[in-house]
Amino acid sequence: MTLKLSSLSLLVALLCAAPSQARQRDVVNLNFGWHFHAGDVADAAATELDDAGWRTVTVPHDFQIEQPWVAPAADEKADNTDVAANIKSRLSSRGFKEMGKGWYRLHFTPADSLRNRRLLLQFDGIMYTGDVYLNGQHIGGTDYGYVGFEIDVTDRLRFAHDNVIAVMADTREPGNSRWYTGGGLIRSVRIVATSKDLYFGRHPLYVTTRDNRYVTVSGEFTNRTRQEARTNVKIYAPDGQLVYEGGSSIPRHRMARTVEVPLANEILIDNAQLWDIDTPRLYTAVAQLLSPDGTVADEVSTTFGIRTVEIGPQYGLKLNGHKVLLKGYANHHSLGALGAAAYPRAIEKRIKLMKQFGINHIRTSHNPYSREFIELCDQNGILVVDELYDKWTRQHTGGRAPFETLWQKDIPEWVKRDRNSPSVVMWSLGNELQQDPNMPFNDFGVTMYRLMRPLVARYDSSRLVTVAMHPRYRNWETDSLPCDLAMITDVQAYNYRYMYFPGDGRRFPWMTFYQSEASVAAMGQNYFEMNLDRTIGLAYWGAIDYLGESQGWPAKGWSQGVFTIDLEPKPKAYYMKSFFLPDEPVVHIAVIDKKGDQMWNGVQTGNDGMSDHWNRASQSTMQLITYTNADEVELLLNGKSLGTKRNAVDDPKLRNQIRWNNIAYQPGTLQAIARKEGRVVARHTIETTDATPSRLVAEADNTSWTADGQDLQHVRIVAADKKGRRVQTTDAPVTFTVDGPAEIIGVINGDINSDEMTANTNTRRLYNGTCTVILRSTHQPGAVTLVATAPGMKSVKMKMKTSTP
């Protein structure tokens, strides 16, 4: 076998070999130039393997999203009304994608500046399990790929030679997850270089605050010298101004070379700028280890926020002394067309959209999301319940190693990674344990929680710990008392069973309640019926449609959200907005197209199918809802009033949703006018468009597109009529071409039933008159031209540019 390098691999080698001045800590980005092969390959880790014919990919990369859809076999299909039978397919939970393995190989020539240094190969996530090889030798891996890890390769890398890093990623079996996981190198890869004698550890800093003005910085480091270690700590305010600098000497420990010690204790920050959901101000702590000659041997930094979080049964949650209600959602980690590939720009797009609709909270169900996700929540004022696992069994945590061998390694990595983030307000160790009798110790999680809870506190004692429970007891038919686990968790987190909060609170007044999953089908009622002054809040399950957990083919995933999988708001999203943002006037017309009655885990999840256009069949009769937080709504059809109805604010089942029955369709304009105290505060109008669109319109979302090889541009394509109105009834195919330093990495629309591929294609049909193409920049800045064409419509050409980072 002969070794061949692609041009990208050569670029990686040249960059890594380029001379550079050695610093105290170097980070080498290894996200580019990987060779990929789908499926298992004999001797794939061998150095001499010829991988020239393998495809070159950029990390993050999800190979499973590139695979074709796998329809259920004939004997697995069922009538669409029989949901229980309809989900029989072994792949329905995993997004109707086949399970399998994928191999990645990277050719890497270390720079001379890395010689005589401690070298760590770091992976942020390999889905679902992974094995890592260096020059043909197995050097490590992961049995639970949601948690990152590092491998010391100090004595394994060969300088002045080509090294081959090979990774085998395995999605495992269909039953090893209850949702779409994706497969491959879904998060970043890097090499970190430090001094060999004096260096910080992994996630070494722990920053705590007190009384919103005192800051303590602790650190973990290793001292292999024969002298004491000197440290220096700097703290920078959100505006970049230095507000503290101080040093200390740490005596050399005779018995332990690695220590965890305070580096700066109880620093007073005058007039501290507090972190909260509206003004998420972030400070930065920089810690240095100094060599005997005063030079910096190692340096690390972390952002943090100065804020206080209090949780208790009388008030739920307080942030900086003020009551804050968690108004959020719980979804899985995948990102629509990108699958599980954790692109920061795609994550940021979701977070900013959710903020627009009043969401201030996300639960990371049921595994740690990427570190970039947490950092973006820090930056955007999102409160996070950070979750580690689903059920505590081998089956649900990768399937390769017993659960009992995982948690001792996973908890320290997970907690240390995220503990400085002000967005994280609570840890969650698991989900819906009551449904599985196969957990350790046969007591539905009690003993396991008592083992894990102290380990969380070992690395962070500033946050409470919970487990999301469903049913509240051991089944939803006999929910008489809380399960034993609910009696010992710090917070009582019930999925869906908010109706037990009052009774449990009377019997056990020390309990503090959080609706860790709330049904979108019961949206509103499950919010207004809670005691909002005393509960922590809620997270709507599956608020964004996602791959996996299909309720029946041809749906490729969950379809009961209030946002489509391509992030288009459904009409019900405005209902959520009406009570999540009560001070912002909202009115929105929703036309009921079909009734939803699906059940899932003993909970009705089916939503009424709704739309918000006015192109209807002649002589049809419509049932409508107007979502509003105003006092009343008047409905007008072609300027004629159909009446005014009051908002039933005293009825939690009807509040903010006004129903209009038997509205005879007439082409033209339907308008809802919302009034508060007699004054018009909001309007929503839908109108009959031309039946056939005449042109395409393009809308880009990234005004600062960076040529870093990772940044994304989401371009929304809209089919418009002659007056520029979106024609929601068209489903014409759209074809994309790109010229310039960018490439298409995903196409998608909101149709969860579509059989179209989202990756490795340049076409997508319109759905409700829209679709989206996702472009990724290269490292070359320059002009990018996107052209979208569709039969019978004028094409659209959009000119953009990428700029130097």
Side-chain angles (χ1 to χ4, degrees):
M1 291 180 283
T2 58
L3 176 66
K4 297 181 180 179
L5 299 180
S6 71
S7 57
L8 267 177
S9 295
L10 284 170
L11 177 62
V12 170
L14 290 171
L15 287 173
C16 295
S20 63
Q21 184 176 357
R23 297 178 303 228
Q24 63 272 8
R25 176 173 286 241
D26 285 311
V27 178
V28 181
N29 186 332
L30 296 184
N31 283 346
F32 304 99
W34 288 87
H35 294 185
F36 172 74
H37 190 288
D40 207 355
V41 178
D43 300 322
T47 305
E48 64 273 16
L49 179 79
D50 182 358
D51 55 20
W54 291 22
R55 184 159 60 96
T56 302
V57 299
T58 295
V59 172
H61 177 250
D62 177 2
F63 69 76
Q64 198 173 29
I65 197 67
E66 301 173 349
Q67 297 175 177
W69 307 109
V70 180
D75 62 347
E76 293 176 326
K77 293 182 179 179
D79 186 274
N80 286 335
T81 61
D82 186 353
V83 175
N86 222 339
I87 62 173
K88 276 179 58 180
S89 170
R90 64 190 181 91
L91 299 177
S92 60
S93 291
R94 303 290 291 271
F96 291 105
K97 298 284 189 178
E98 191 57 80
M99 302 299 103
K101 299 177 180 179
W103 278 92
Y104 297 82
R105 287 167 57 91
L106 181 71
H107 296 271
F108 174 74
T109 302
D112 286 342
S113 61
L114 301 182
R115 289 182 184 272
N116 301 316
R117 304 179 73 185
R118 175 175 170 262
L119 303 175
L120 303 167
L121 177 59
Q122 297 183 344
F123 293 86
D124 287 351
I126 303 176
M127 198 48 44
Y128 190 3
T129 63
D131 290 289
V132 181
Y133 301 80
L134 179 60
N135 299 326
Q137 299 296 313
H138 185 269
I139 59 172
T142 178
D143 294 318
Y144 185 63
Y146 292 109
V147 175
F149 65 99
E150 67 182 17
I151 305 167
D152 192 325
V153 294
T154 304
D155 299 324
R156 291 186 169 108
L157 278 179
R158 302 179 305 189
F159 284 84
H161 290 85
D162 177 61
N163 293 260
V164 176
I165 303 170
V167 179
M168 189 276 289
D170 188 350
T171 64
R172 304 297 296 166
E173 298 304 314
N176 289 138
S177 179
R178 300 189 298 132
W179 57 87
Y180 176 84
T181 61
L185 294 176
I186 63 166
R187 299 176 188 166
S188 291
V189 186
R190 70 190 66 83
I191 282 182
V192 174
T194 72
S195 159
K196 285 186 174 182
D197 299 325
L198 188 60
Y199 53 85
F200 286 106
R202 181 168 171 83
H203 312 309
L205 299 185
Y206 182 29
V207 181
T208 56
T209 63
R210 183 175 66 83
D211 296 341
N212 279 346
R213 55 180 181 157
Y214 294 104
V215 176
T216 294
V217 180
S218 299
E220 176 186 335
F221 66 88
T222 298
N223 181 5
R224 299 191 183 280
T225 72
R226 296 183 177 275
Q227 299 177 349
E228 67 179 13
R230 289 191 295 147
T231 66
N232 188 54
V233 172
K234 302 176 183 179
I235 295 180
Y236 295 90
D239 61 1
Q241 294 295 311
L242 181 67
V243 295
Y244 170 83
E245 182 172 11
S248 61
S249 296
I250 312 297
R252 180 174 176 270
H253 199 290
R254 291 186 177 183
M255 302 299 293
R257 296 293 176 260
T258 300
V259 295
E260 296 175 64
V261 294
L263 305 179
N265 197 32
E266 290 282 282
I267 303 162
L268 173 62
I269 305 295
D270 289 322
N271 301 313
Q273 301 177 55
L274 303 187
W275 185 97
D276 63 29
I277 58 178
D278 296 319
T279 53
R281 303 184 181 100
L282 292 171
Y283 285 76
T284 300
V286 178
Q288 298 172 325
L289 290 170
L290 305 180
S291 298
D293 62 1
T295 59
V296 177
D298 198 6
E299 178 180 292
V300 292
S301 65
T302 184
T303 56
F304 67 96
I306 298 177
R307 58 99 173 107
T308 57
V309 172
E310 303 166 78
I311 293 176
Q314 301 303 317
Y315 48 81
L317 184 145
K318 289 183 180 180
L319 180 63
N320 299 326
H322 302 287
K323 164 70 179 180
V324 172
L325 188 71
L326 297 192
K327 297 180 284 190
Y329 74 97
N331 260 63
H332 295 303
H333 65 292
S334 59
L335 298 169
L338 304 174
Y343 281 95
R345 180 68 72 175
I347 298 168
E348 181 183 41
K349 181 179 179 67
R350 289 182 169 228
I351 289 174
K352 288 186 177 297
L353 175 63
M354 296 303 109
K355 288 278 285 190
Q356 292 174 18
F357 281 79
I359 283 174
N360 63 16
H361 160 54
I362 300 174
R363 172 184 166 217
T364 69
S365 45
H366 306 294
N367 47 261
Y369 287 12
S370 67
R371 177 60 194 161
E372 290 85 352
F373 166 84
I374 298 293
E375 291 171 344
L376 285 163
C377 289
D378 290 343
Q379 296 165 21
N380 287 279
I382 295 290
L383 302 174
V384 176
V385 173
D386 203 345
E387 193 156 273
L388 179 57
Y389 295 122
D390 187 22
K391 304 177 193 302
W392 299 336
T393 68
R394 177 176 188 154
Q395 175 186 351
H396 297 99
T397 52
R400 190 162 81 167
F403 173 77
E404 294 86 338
T405 67
L406 296 180
W407 62 273
Q408 299 97 321
K409 296 178 294 183
D410 291 345
I411 287 176
E413 168 67 18
W414 166 60
V415 173
K416 291 171 70 176
R417 190 197 75 167
D418 292 345
R419 62 187 175 181
N420 295 330
S421 286
S423 62
V424 177
V425 295
M426 195 182 343
W427 305 112
S428 175
L429 286 168
N431 175 68
E432 296 185 351
L433 310 180
Q434 291 79 6
Q435 296 183 30
D436 199 314
N438 299 313
M439 289 183 301
F441 309 111
N442 195 34
D443 59 359
F444 292 92
V446 171
T447 300
M448 198 71 250
Y449 177 85
R450 285 177 168 154
L451 289 171
M452 292 192 287
R453 175 65 178 86
L455 188 55
V456 174
R458 159 67 177 84
Y459 294 101
D460 176 43
S461 58
S462 68
R463 296 173 178 87
L464 299 185
V465 182
T466 192
V467 175
M469 301 171 214
H470 181 67
R472 170 176 150 276
Y473 190 58
R474 296 187 182 181
N475 62 68
W476 42 75
E477 287 82 14
T478 58
D479 256 352
S480 56
L481 286 171
C483 62
D484 293 343
L485 183 60
M487 305 300 289
I488 63 170
T489 53
D490 298 339
V491 168
Q492 286 58 51
Y494 296 171
N495 291 353
Y496 310 107
R497 296 307 199 228
Y498 70 94
M499 63 286 296
Y500 291 98
F501 290 173
D504 288 358
R506 286 191 296 270
R507 284 177 287 188
F508 312 106
W510 45 268
M511 285 185 167
T512 307
F513 298 104
Y514 162 56
Q515 194 177 169
S516 38
E517 289 178 22
S519 170
V520 171
M523 179 174 277
Q525 180 181 358
N526 53 20
Y527 177 85
F528 293 120
E529 287 186 344
M530 294 193 302
N531 185 335
L532 302 180
D533 293 328
R534 296 172 67 104
T535 190
I536 290 174
L538 87 178
Y540 279 112
W541 178 256
I544 305 173
D545 291 349
Y546 58 85
L547 292 175
E549 293 193 292
S550 167
Q551 294 181 284
W553 180 268
K556 308 307 183 298
W558 183 262
S559 60
Q560 307 303 323
V562 295
F563 297 90
T564 61
I565 194 169
D566 66 339
L567 302 182
E568 292 287 328
K570 301 178 187 180
K572 202 166 187 176
Y574 295 91
Y575 177 41
M576 180 183 72
K577 183 178 182 179
S578 75
F579 55 85
F580 275 6
L581 292 175
D583 296 328
E584 181 177 326
V586 172
V587 67
H588 198 89
I589 301 169
V591 181
I592 301 175
D593 298 317
K594 61 181 180 179
K595 189 70 177 174
D597 57 1
Q598 295 95 330
M599 298 294 292
W600 189 263
N601 285 347
V603 176
Q604 180 177 335
T605 57
N607 275 308
D608 292 344
M610 297 179 181
S611 57
D612 51 7
H613 65 83
W614 201 237
N615 285 36
R616 305 289 169 175
S618 177
Q619 297 184 339
S620 59
T621 300
M622 315 306 301
Q623 316 303 316
L624 311 177
I625 298 177
T626 48
Y627 295 127
T628 188
N629 50 17
D631 296 337
E632 62 184 26
V633 171
E634 182 180 10
L635 194 65
L636 294 89
L637 179 58
N638 294 328
K640 180 181 178 180
S641 177
L642 301 181
T644 299
K645 294 189 177 183
R646 299 285 297 177
N647 186 355
V649 295
D650 295 327
D651 188 339
K653 294 182 179 181
L654 299 177
R655 183 173 178 176
N656 287 18
Q657 45 184 337
I658 300 173
R659 293 185 175 269
W660 307 79
N661 296 323
N662 302 319
I663 302 298
Y665 171 69
Q666 296 177 19
T669 299
L670 184 69
Q671 185 179 56
I673 301 177
R675 296 183 176 89
K676 193 174 184 68
E677 297 178 350
R679 183 174 59 88
V680 175
V681 293
R683 299 173 187 263
H684 181 225
T685 302
I686 59 177
E687 57 184 320
T688 307
T689 67
D690 296 343
T692 303
S694 61
R695 61 191 175 98
L696 295 177
V697 177
E699 305 166 354
D701 75 333
N702 188 353
T703 58
S704 55
W705 196 10
T706 303
D708 61 0
Q710 302 267 282
D711 200 10
L712 304 182
Q713 183 75 264
H714 295 74
V715 181
R716 179 177 182 252
I717 302 298
V718 178
D721 68 5
K722 295 175 183 178
K723 294 183 178 180
R725 301 170 298 188
R726 175 162 62 120
V727 182
Q728 293 199 37
T729 52
T730 186
D731 63 352
V734 180
T735 300
F736 303 98
T737 57
V738 178
D739 182 54
E743 57 185 327
I744 296 172
I745 63 166
V747 290
I748 196 166
N749 63 29
D751 185 7
I752 201 75
N753 295 329
S754 175
D755 292 333
E756 297 172 285
M757 293 292 292
T758 64
N760 296 335
T761 181
N762 69 331
T763 64
R764 189 72 179 191
R765 300 190 77 87
L766 295 161
Y767 179 75
N768 291 338
T770 72
C771 64
T772 296
V773 59
I774 306 172
L775 309 179
R776 182 179 63 202
S777 66
T778 67
H779 286 96
Q780 179 66 43
V784 176
T785 301
L786 171 72
V787 176
T789 61
M793 287 176 257
K794 182 180 179 181
S795 62
V796 62
K797 178 186 290 187
M798 170 164 275
K799 294 185 177 181
M800 301 160 281
K801 67 176 182 179
T802 61
S803 57
T804 303

